[in-house]
Amino acid sequence: MTSHSRSPSLSPTPTPEILLTPDSMARVDVAAARSGLDSFGLMLRAGEAVAAAALRRFPGALRFLVLCGPGNNGGDGYVTASALSRAGATVLLHGLAESSALKGDAARAQSLCGLPVLSLDRFAPLKGDVVIDALFGAGLTRDLPEAARVLIRTVRDAGLPVIAVDLPSGIDGATGEIRGDAFEAVSTVTFMTRKPGHILLPGRLHCGALEVFDIGIPRRIVEAEARALWINGPGIWNGHARALSAQDHKYRRGHVTVFSGPYAATGAARLSADAALKAGAGIVTLASPADALAINAAHVTAVMLARIDTASDLSAWLSDARRSTFVLGPGFGDLDRARRFAVMVAEVGRRLVLDADGISAFKASADQLRGLFEAHAPRLVVTPHEGEFLRLFPDIAADQGLGKVGKALSAAKALGGIVVYKGGDTVIASPDGRAAIEENAPATLATAGSGDVLAGIIGARLANGMPAFEAACAGVYQHGQAAISAGHGLTAEDLAAHILVDG
């Protein structure tokens, strides 16, 4: 079994970690059976892995109360119960469905188990019991039946520890959403790979310690059936990071221009500019309106300063092709001017990170942005939090059936660019269907200005020459790692000092 944690190091990994959606996992199961693998043998290994985890974690349990559902997750539960009983543990089985309703491997597992199966209404927990939740797992796509909700409330009221098989029942495996109610597990045992519901909120908060057990399906089958959905990590951008060279100069490492807001709203842009410089841009310029020049000049040293007030000023600035990458939105304020400046950046083929007021300037106008930036390779990255996502993509945001990954992918396709849908489970999505979920963004990032820092980091990676999707993934990862390094009590100003650059 493997557990999942991440150190603050940016050391590269060979390949990104795959996430299997429930649909993908179902295809893997079918492909495994077609390849000649015994599906019941896979179920035996899964259930025995759960039993081993239960005995290891709770060797002194009074009883194991195994709750079995009507599908293959229930089949895993019957195998678990049988293995626990053979090991000498006291086991009580409770089934959600009549034995006659079970099919295939689940029916076989129940038949071979040999233990009596009690109905859910006979569930009577005692102090010292441990619950094994094998009701529904990751394949749940509908609200829980009332009998299951009553059971969850009973277990919660009794304060019993729960070990979940695959995923706590009540969590949608594709979206991480709660379907009426859900168990809160102290431990979850899943198989082959993690699923989106293990990583996305609020599902992640219900899983407890997560173990992934390889039940013997060849990796080639898993990879063949998986979508392009990964845990965000260096494996995604390995080979795309530009290595430092003794022949480098500042323009070769990339020039980032960050647009400043007016004199009373300059801090956000400076946060972005400082972050871009620390994250590896060769040169960063703060493009300031005239009324903010003095206050910006008093605060910047390594960051350059230029006066850009009007469209004419920007046109002159854009005449130098070395000024390749722009960050627009943090503290900008003037939505009309933001829209005009974004259009000008797009028309000369430059790369743009659009954040905050830059996003608000294109309210319900993702199609216009697509028309401006559409190209063979994406060169636009937008970084909305939930409210900004709603403003830019109102129809997609209103579709409750999509889940966060689905919404981000739909938005990226509508935009023709990269969408960084921020939050404690940030999703980075590309119009070509690739997506990654960041799992290590600490709660300390919920502080004013942290998004401005993220925009600057992504700008630096774009300026270094990374493709837009990889740049966004790298930026989100660096942002989270900086926050972990900064520790508790961080402010946005602290983040730039803790950015680590991996080349």
Side-chain angles (χ1 to χ4, degrees):
M1 293 190 186
T2 57
S3 60
H4 294 268
S5 62
R6 182 187 288 169
S7 72
S9 170
L10 288 180
S11 299
T13 55
T15 57
E17 181 187 341
I18 292 171
L19 287 173
L20 282 175
T21 65
D23 286 348
S24 295
M25 189 69 232
R27 292 196 301 271
V28 167
D29 288 338
V30 171
R34 287 176 177 168
S35 76
L37 290 173
D38 176 14
S39 62
F40 188 68
L42 298 176
M43 181 174 284
L44 288 175
R45 285 193 282 277
E48 288 167 356
V50 175
L55 291 170
R56 184 171 60 252
R57 185 170 288 271
F58 296 104
L62 173 67
R63 301 181 301 181
F64 289 101
L65 310 182
V66 184
L67 312 177
C68 295
N72 281 345
N73 195 250
D76 295 339
Y78 289 115
V79 173
T80 299
S82 180
L84 288 170
S85 181
R86 292 197 308 273
T90 301
V91 180
L92 264 65
L93 261 176
H94 291 271
L96 182 63
E98 296 290 336
S99 298
S100 60
L102 299 176
K103 298 178 181 179
D105 289 336
R108 183 178 176 187
Q110 193 272 323
S111 175
L112 292 175
C113 178
L115 297 173
V117 182
L118 307 175
S119 61
L120 292 187
D121 59 12
R122 294 182 62 186
F123 183 79
L126 299 174
K127 184 178 180 180
D129 287 343
V130 174
V131 173
I132 308 289
D133 164 30
L135 288 176
F136 290 104
L140 185 70
T141 58
R142 55 184 172 82
D143 286 352
L144 286 175
E146 183 58 26
R149 296 193 205 190
V150 169
L151 190 63
I152 289 171
R153 290 194 292 270
T154 300
V155 171
R156 184 181 296 132
D157 291 344
L160 299 182
V162 176
I163 296 177
V165 180
D166 199 22
L167 192 70
S169 292
I171 303 297
D172 188 311
T175 69
E177 294 170 358
I178 297 174
R179 293 289 190 162
D181 203 347
F183 281 114
E184 295 156 0
V186 297
S187 175
T188 298
V189 181
T190 193
F191 313 109
M192 300 312 299
T193 77
R194 291 189 279 177
K195 315 304 184 295
H198 294 127
I199 310 301
L200 294 166
L201 295 172
R204 185 171 77 202
L205 304 178
H206 286 248
C207 292
L210 181 64
E211 294 179 293
V212 179
F213 188 82
D214 187 335
I215 57 175
I217 300 175
R219 186 68 178 177
R220 60 180 172 77
I221 293 178
V222 173
E223 292 178 350
E225 300 300 334
R227 287 172 43 186
L229 176 63
W230 306 289
I231 293 291
N232 192 33
I236 292 174
W237 59 89
N238 275 348
H240 295 282
R242 185 182 178 282
L244 296 176
S245 166
Q247 295 180 312
D248 277 350
H249 53 73
K250 61 189 178 184
Y251 284 106
R252 183 172 290 172
R253 292 181 65 193
H255 188 165
V256 177
T257 301
V258 181
F259 290 101
S260 171
Y263 74 95
T266 58
R270 286 199 303 275
L271 286 170
S272 288
D274 288 344
L277 197 62
K278 182 64 176 177
I283 180 170
V284 179
T285 300
L286 194 61
S288 174
D291 68 349
L293 280 171
I295 190 168
N296 278 325
H299 284 85
V300 299
T301 304
V303 171
M304 309 296 284
L305 188 62
R307 174 180 171 175
I308 297 180
D309 252 322
T310 65
S312 178
D313 295 335
L314 179 56
S315 182
W317 187 254
L318 290 168
S319 65
D320 187 338
R322 295 176 300 178
R323 295 161 180 162
S324 62
T325 306
F326 293 76
V327 177
L328 173 61
F332 195 76
D334 187 333
L335 301 189
D336 289 336
R337 193 158 64 104
R339 185 185 287 258
R340 187 161 62 250
F341 279 13
V343 170
M344 293 179 67
V345 169
E347 288 176 342
V348 293
R350 307 297 163 79
R351 296 184 286 272
L352 178 64
V353 180
L354 199 64
D355 184 41
D357 292 336
I359 294 172
S360 296
F362 287 89
K363 181 178 180 181
S365 298
D367 54 343
Q368 182 185 4
L369 281 170
R370 181 185 182 92
L372 289 167
F373 284 92
E374 194 166 27
H376 294 298
R379 55 191 176 90
L380 172 66
V381 179
V382 300
T383 57
H385 55 56
E386 189 170 358
E388 291 161 348
F389 190 94
L390 175 61
R391 284 196 283 277
L392 186 57
F393 307 105
D395 293 340
I396 295 171
D399 189 338
Q400 298 304 311
L402 285 175
K404 191 166 186 177
V405 172
K407 288 179 180 180
L409 284 167
S410 295
K413 186 174 182 180
L415 185 72
I418 308 304
V419 173
V420 178
Y421 193 174
K422 295 187 295 193
D425 53 355
T426 294
V427 176
I428 308 101
S430 173
D432 63 11
R434 291 177 294 164
I437 307 172
E438 176 59 44
E439 65 171 337
N440 276 343
T444 51
L445 282 172
T447 185
S450 67
D452 306 319
V453 172
L454 174 61
I457 298 172
I458 295 173
R461 303 318 295 253
L462 285 170
N464 292 160
M466 266 194 188
F469 176 71
E470 287 78 4
C473 289
V476 169
Y477 182 90
Q478 284 181 286
H479 188 241
Q481 294 299 301
I484 292 170
S485 178
H488 292 291
L490 75 85
T491 65
E493 291 95 330
D494 299 327
L495 280 173
H498 289 86
I499 295 170
L500 302 176
V501 182
D502 61 344

